[in-house]
């Protein structure tokens, strides 16, 4: 018997970003653009095209493009059930829509809506709440990308480590190790200089100015009872960026794994 999917979930917000509709479209609707500020992405740029967001080694989300109207509207579905390890009829597809609205003065507003249906289980509500916490701040990275690096290809560094402590405790250790202050403060993380752009509950976004320019996100999240993950995601833009990633990947993972976490 099929599961009754009676509980709707929805995230909806808007962000104003610099650029023409064509520049914004490139950033939100192409594999190169999405990979430069979000997650490593594979995308067939057409209606019906397949897409894949990489979330780390052997992890990712698969879907397909359901609407393609450049440079105005993109819609795609992700296989939410497969992402969560559920049977196909236990959860609906998760649908995301991006609508680009041009404004005077050289900016656009991107309207974002993500929705789906579930069974009303407690974990579903928690998952959507957590997704909103992680998802919406990403669009500050989109704003920074379009302001400072529009059209450029990123070299991405992603590293994480698991600790036997809750996410708040892990975050305290990570933020303390990086000596991250408030918005507007200068910071240096593993030899990269930058300025803090956004501070959330367990996430910080930094605009990097040198020696390798780009964007850096430090984050922590819960991964089960008494288990927290500390992570770093960097999008770097220079001829030296790929070499920096090759050189620092292992060292960054070792730094995260060696955090002094007081459980």
């Amino acid at each position: 018997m099929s599961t009754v999917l009676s509980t709707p979930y929805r995230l909806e917000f808007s962000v104003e970003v610099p650029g023409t509709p064509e520049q914004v479209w490139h950033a939100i609707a192409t594999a190169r653009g999405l990979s430069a500020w979000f997650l490593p992405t594979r995308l067939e740029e057409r209606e019906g095209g397949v897409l894949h967001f990489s979330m780390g080694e052997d992890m990712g989300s698969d879907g397909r493009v359901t609407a393609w109207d450049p440079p105005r509207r993109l819609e795609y579905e992700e296989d939410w059930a497969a992402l969560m390890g559920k049977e196909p009829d236990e959860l609906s597809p998760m649908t995301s829509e991006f609508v680009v609205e041009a404004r005077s003065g050289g900016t656009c507003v991107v309207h974002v809506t993500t929705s789906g249906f579930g069974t009303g289980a407690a974990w579903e509500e928690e998952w959507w709440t957590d997704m909103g916490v992680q998802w919406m701040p990403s669009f500050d990275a989109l704003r920074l990308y379009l302001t400072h690096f529009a059209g450029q290809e990123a070299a991405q560094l992603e590293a994480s480590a698991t600790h036997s402590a809750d996410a708040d405790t892990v975050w305290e250790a990570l933020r303390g190790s990086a000596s991250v202050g408030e918005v507007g403060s200068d910071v240096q993380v593993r030899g990269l200089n930058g300025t803090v752009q956004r501070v959330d509950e367990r996430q910080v976004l930094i605009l990097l100015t040198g020696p390798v320019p780009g964007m850096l996100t430090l984050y922590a999240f819960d991964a089960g009872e008494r288990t927290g993950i500390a992570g770093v995601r960097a999008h770097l833009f220079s001829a030296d960026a790929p070499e920096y990633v090759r050189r620092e990947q292992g060292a960054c993972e070792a730094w995260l794994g060696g955090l002094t976490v007081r459980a």
Side-chain angles (χ1 to χ4, degrees):
M1 184 174 66
S2 297
T3 305
V4 177
L5 303 179
S6 58
T7 303
Y9 299 100
R10 186 179 183 89
L11 297 172
E12 191 170 11
F13 59 96
S14 300
V15 57
E16 187 169 7
V17 296
T20 65
E22 290 75 18
Q23 289 172 318
V24 176
W25 178 262
H26 178 272
I28 66 171
T30 70
R32 175 171 169 162
L34 284 162
S35 298
W37 63 272
F38 187 46
L39 296 169
T41 302
R42 299 196 305 269
L43 171 65
E44 293 181 348
E45 298 165 12
R46 59 177 177 82
E47 186 171 345
V50 299
L51 80 158
H52 175 82
F53 296 118
S54 176
M55 300 175 181
E57 187 174 355
D58 300 323
M59 293 180 60
S61 180
D62 294 299
R64 65 184 183 91
V65 177
T66 51
W68 180 265
D69 182 19
R72 194 187 70 86
R73 179 174 175 263
L74 167 71
E75 182 185 88
Y76 58 81
E77 290 182 348
E78 294 173 81
D79 191 340
W80 184 26
L83 180 63
M84 303 310 300
K86 303 293 184 179
E87 293 299 320
D89 65 346
E90 288 189 57
L91 300 167
S92 77
M94 183 170 59
T95 301
S96 294
E97 180 189 54
F98 294 71
V99 176
V100 180
E101 177 188 348
R103 293 282 177 89
S104 60
T107 67
C108 291
V109 174
V110 182
H111 303 282
V112 184
T113 304
T114 299
S115 59
F117 283 87
T119 63
W123 75 264
E124 295 173 1
E125 181 67 36
E126 182 179 352
W127 187 84
W128 278 84
T129 299
D130 287 346
M131 188 179 77
V133 170
Q134 298 294 326
W135 178 228
M136 286 184 277
S138 297
F139 288 86
D140 263 350
L142 171 63
R143 176 179 54 78
L144 290 179
Y145 172 67
L146 286 166
T147 301
H148 300 280
F149 311 108
Q152 296 185 46
E153 185 173 5
Q156 188 169 139
L157 185 155
E158 182 87 31
S160 63
T162 302
H163 293 272
S164 298
D166 61 68
D168 288 336
T169 303
V170 173
W171 174 243
E172 182 180 355
L174 176 57
R175 185 172 179 179
S177 179
S179 300
V180 174
E182 300 304 317
V183 172
S185 63
D186 293 333
V187 65
Q188 185 180 86
V189 180
R190 300 199 55 77
L192 296 174
N193 302 313
T195 305
V196 177
Q197 301 292 305
R198 179 176 180 133
V199 178
D200 292 292
E201 184 178 358
R202 294 194 295 263
Q203 187 175 134
V204 164
L205 174 64
I206 299 165
L207 176 65
L208 299 173
T209 54
V212 183
M215 303 175 295
L216 177 71
T217 300
L218 304 176
Y219 62 88
F221 64 89
D222 281 312
E225 186 175 355
R226 299 291 297 168
T227 302
I229 292 180
V232 171
R233 178 180 299 123
H235 298 86
L236 305 173
F237 303 92
S238 76
D240 299 331
E243 176 56 31
Y244 177 89
V245 172
R246 284 191 293 271
R247 186 177 68 248
E248 291 295 321
Q249 180 74 45
C252 195
E253 291 171 354
W255 169 56
L256 294 172
L259 292 174
T260 301
V261 179
R262 306 188 185 282

